[in-house]
Amino acid sequence: MKKRQSILSFILITTTLVLGACSSTEGASENASSKKDGSKESQPVVVGSQAADFQIWEFIAQSDAAKEAGITLEVEEVIGGPQLNTATVEGEVDVNAFQSWAYLESFNEESGSDLTAFATTYLEPMGIYSDKVDSIEDVTEGSVVAIADNPSNASRGLLLLEAAGLITFPDDFDALGTTSDIIDNPKNLTFVEIDDTTGPRVMQDVDLVLIGNTIALEGGLNVLEDSIFHEEINDETKANVNILVTQKENADNEDILKLGELYHDEEVQEYIEEQFDGTKVPVQKDISYLEE
């Protein structure tokens, strides 16, 4: 009897060990498979944007180019430039797409942040618009000009007025310059500050309005056709080139760096041209071009 019990005990122990070994092997196999799958899938890159740029990045997220690059994009709409930059600083989004180089420099200087641009996208020309005159040559003495109430867009608009030959600034005029820096104003223009998102709605109330193209498009205006003067791509306007921005520590992340290439993919550019009538002029330059 004792011998029989010993044999049964041996069989039970052996069976338990074998089953345990099988279970461990299966678990290890599942874990290995899970790790293998996980290593192949990159983490989603969260892009924060607004208005027309939000529309563009929603298209990019679903594009063949993004699939071929092996990148998963999540696009979040965040309204307001400062809010978008703050969301990036706080890591709520990985990348933002909405601002110019000058706007970023102004934000970093005023907030003490260290956000970093890693790719250029386009120049969206700012224009001078008017319901009162048809050309710059027709601007009259004492005309009232509406400019943005935020520093970067205000200085950008003032430089556009200088390019149009209406006012003059010293050579060191920068992204935080104001009307107080004007050294020559032959037509005695007067300036009123407005929320720049209201530009198209105040055209009838003033003589000239400086309007960024995103806002112009939303107001039914095409900068290439409806403005009396607008920016061109050159060294004088390179600070107004739009960029992709991330936290400094993410600026060498391979997936994030691919976003610049995605934006300039042929499929994406054809979509942008069709949707925005050529008003988002592509600029594909190294960031060093803007830093010079």
Side-chain angles (χ1 to χ4, degrees), residues 6 29 40-41 53 71 132 147 161 163 171 179 189 191 196 202 213-214 225 234 237-238 254 257 285 291:
S6 298
S29 178
K40 286 183 178 180
E41 295 179 3
D53 287 316
I71 298 177
K132 308 291 195 306
I147 63 173
L161 291 171
D171 292 339
T179 55
L189 304 179
F191 300 91
D196 55 357
V202 304
N213 189 55
T214 295
E225 299 172 1
N234 54 45
T237 60
K238 66 183 182 180
E254 289 184 5
L257 291 176
K285 299 274 191 181
E291 295 172 332

Side-chain angles (χ1 to χ4, degrees), residues 55-68 71-75 262 267-268:
Q55 178 183 337
I56 290 170
W57 283 96
E58 279 199 311
F59 176 84
I60 293 174
Q62 302 300 320
S63 68
D64 291 337
K67 294 172 186 174
E68 290 169 6
I71 298 177
T72 301
L73 296 180
E74 293 180 3
V75 187
L262 282 179
E267 173 192 7
V268 173

